[in-house]
Amino acid sequence: MKLIKKILKFPRIIYFGIAILIVSILFINLSTDAVEISSIEFIGEATIPKGLIFQKTEVGGLSGITYDAKNDLYYAISDDRGQKAPARFYTLKIDLSQGYLKNGDVQPVGVTTLLDQNGQTFPAGETDTEGIAYTNGETAFISSEGDVRQLIDPFIKEFSLSSGKLLAKLPIPNKFLPDKNGNQGIRNNLAFESLTITPNNQHLFTATENALMQDGPAAKPNLGSPCRILQYNLLTNKPEKEFLYQTEPVPQILNLTGRFASGLPDLLALDNQGHFLSIERSFAGLGFAVSLFQVSLQGADEIQNINSLLAMESANIQPVSKKLLLNLSKLDVLLDNIEGLTLGPRLPDGQRSLILVSDNNFHSLQRNQILAFKLKIESPIMRFLRRLLPNL
């Protein structure tokens, strides 16, 4: 009782200051839309029938996917290099109205052929379209890995969703472009697989699937690879920042056949503050290993002005931070070549959905696989209270 009386005798300015501090902290936490995922739950799988022909094209090679919330539609890019049909993306309907996904819930409803600045289809072999990101308008950005062997540069271009016609292109920094000596730039088939746009539509991000030639080695058993995340300002259409993303090493034990590939096939912007989901996917000849990570740019060093990580002490560079969200190998599902991810609509219980899609490589032993998850996303105020009161 005496202690309480002593506290009550404190000058009113102290109480006023404490009140201001509490209100300030709450305002800061409430005014940001930063996202943190506290749990993830698998809610089903569907496959598109093998060899499905839709509007005279074979549905396959689905390497990236993006969601149009206004129309409840998904756009999935095919990485067919023009061998089956010209470069294209598919419009899909995915039914999550029951709160889960099952076979028959994924249906193609449209196919759009990509056209160049002259309104012509892209020649076979000129594109390797891997990533797609909806702009909240009537357009989507699409990334291509190009072809290092033919010195075809990668690209990031904006296309009309209705006509498929090229509208604009983003400049690619020189350090990413391959040279004829093989000393710099992207590695073949390990370039811009990922593509995502922030919710406010102000920034676009892509990343190399593995290291640039001048940055370090490609992934090997027990060795990850230093990838670069590339940030564009969509108000100026200029590249403005780069960050180091280090992929996880994959144990030698999985490399039973000598066929090995591992890397970063996609990123998904969760908010406007530099928080993402990433996929890391590995193949060792006998199956796929896939992991989902939460990623944050906070505290990461900006490396746009560093042309070669090998030319400096890269150990001193702070990469983006990562936290394992889910090892998909723990699911009771035979995984295929998962390469794309996107947020979907809210489920009947109000939680947000997440969709992953696989690239079947038009191979008879692979599938166009779609996986669905339920995400629990905590609000900033709940995160603040949990940090303040860990037992809450």
Side-chain angles (χ1 to χ4, degrees):
M1 191 66 177
K2 290 181 179 180
L3 178 61
I4 294 175
K5 288 181 178 180
K6 287 182 179 179
I7 292 174
L8 292 175
K9 289 181 181 179
F10 285 169
R12 291 183 179 179
I13 188 65
I14 295 179
Y15 297 114
F16 185 67
I18 292 173
I20 291 177
L21 179 62
I22 292 174
V23 170
S24 299
I25 292 173
L26 289 176
F27 177 79
I28 291 171
N29 280 273
L30 286 171
S31 62
T32 177
D33 58 354
V35 161
E36 186 170 299
I37 296 171
S38 58
S39 69
I40 182 169
E41 176 187 346
F42 179 58
I43 57 170
E45 170 192 18
T47 56
I48 296 174
K50 291 182 181 180
L52 176 66
I53 302 299
F54 179 78
Q55 295 184 7
K56 300 181 180 180
T57 68
E58 182 178 345
V59 180
L62 304 183
S63 185
I65 189 168
T66 189
Y67 180 58
D68 173 358
K70 288 190 293 188
N71 297 299
D72 192 26
L73 293 171
Y74 299 80
Y75 308 113
I77 188 70
S78 174
D79 68 356
D80 178 12
R81 298 192 182 201
Q83 305 304 315
K84 302 283 186 178
R88 63 201 180 277
F89 67 85
Y90 291 91
T91 303
L92 306 176
K93 288 288 289 184
I94 301 179
D95 184 5
L96 295 174
S97 61
Q98 301 301 310
Y100 56 85
L101 182 69
K102 65 183 188 305
N103 275 330
D105 287 341
V106 180
Q107 298 292 333
V109 295
V111 59
T112 304
T113 300
L114 301 183
L115 304 176
D116 64 17
Q117 64 271 19
N118 299 315
Q120 303 298 312
T121 59
F122 287 88
E126 188 173 297
T127 65
D128 182 12
T129 47
E130 298 279 1
I132 185 168
Y134 175 60
T135 65
N136 295 329
E138 299 302 320
T139 68
F141 279 93
I142 291 172
S143 62
S144 170
E145 291 192 299
D147 191 328
V148 172
R149 296 165 299 185
Q150 300 183 62
L151 290 182
I152 297 175
D153 291 339
F155 70 64
I156 301 171
K157 296 180 178 180
E158 186 177 12
F159 294 86
S160 165
L161 287 174
S162 58
S163 68
K165 187 171 182 179
L166 174 64
L167 301 175
K169 62 180 180 179
L170 302 182
I172 306 297
N174 184 67
K175 68 170 73 75
F176 292 89
L177 302 180
D179 66 8
K180 61 182 180 181
N181 299 317
N183 295 323
Q184 82 150 36
I186 58 170
R187 285 178 158 87
N188 197 54
N189 208 32
L190 293 172
F192 297 149
E193 285 245 1
S194 56
L195 205 62
T196 187
I197 295 175
T198 54
N200 63 9
N201 219 48
Q202 292 185 10
H203 292 96
L204 176 145
F205 291 84
T206 187
T208 58
E209 189 177 359
N210 267 211
L212 299 178
M213 295 298 297
Q214 69 271 26
D215 280 347
K220 300 175 183 178
N222 298 320
L223 181 68
S225 188
C227 307
R228 284 191 190 235
I229 293 176
L230 176 56
Q231 173 182 325
Y232 284 87
N233 186 327
L234 290 182
L235 301 179
T236 63
N237 279 359
K238 301 293 186 182
E240 62 179 9
K241 293 181 181 179
E242 294 172 24
F243 303 93
L244 172 61
Y245 181 108
Q246 184 70 44
T247 65
E248 298 300 303
V250 177
Q252 172 73 37
I253 190 172
L254 295 180
N255 189 29
L256 302 179
T257 65
R259 297 179 60 196
F260 183 87
S262 184
L264 170 65
D266 210 357
L267 286 171
L268 173 63
L270 294 172
D271 56 30
N272 304 316
Q273 279 73 44
H275 297 95
F276 303 83
L277 286 181
S278 70
I279 297 174
E280 292 189 28
R281 180 269 340 264
S282 301
F283 176 73
L286 295 180
F288 295 94
V290 182
S291 293
L292 275 174
F293 291 88
Q294 295 189 66
V295 177
S296 175
L297 301 184
Q298 185 175 4
D301 289 333
E302 204 281 302
I303 60 171
Q304 184 182 37
N305 294 325
I306 301 175
N307 289 320
S308 170
L309 297 180
L310 287 176
M312 63 171 298
E313 187 54 60
S314 59
N316 295 328
I317 297 175
Q318 183 65 40
V320 302
S321 60
K322 297 162 50 184
K323 181 173 73 172
L324 180 64
L325 181 65
L326 179 66
N327 179 351
L328 274 66
S329 300
K330 295 183 178 180
L331 302 177
D332 188 22
V333 173
L334 179 63
L335 296 174
D336 212 287
N337 184 31
I338 299 294
E339 289 196 353
L341 79 167
T342 186
L343 291 175
R346 293 197 178 276
L347 298 167
D349 64 0
Q351 302 293 350
R352 197 68 187 267
S353 59
L354 176 72
I355 295 292
L356 275 63
V357 66
S358 74
D359 173 3
N360 71 342
N361 293 307
F362 296 96
H363 195 288
S364 61
L365 298 180
Q366 291 185 249
R367 299 164 293 155
N368 289 309
Q369 180 184 48
I370 295 90
L371 304 178
F373 298 85
K374 179 195 298 186
L375 299 179
K376 182 178 181 182
I377 301 177
E378 284 193 336
S379 66
I381 185 61
M382 276 304 299
R383 269 199 326 275
F384 168 71
L385 291 174
R386 285 189 183 279
R387 289 166 183 166
L388 191 66
L389 304 168
N391 294 324
L392 182 66

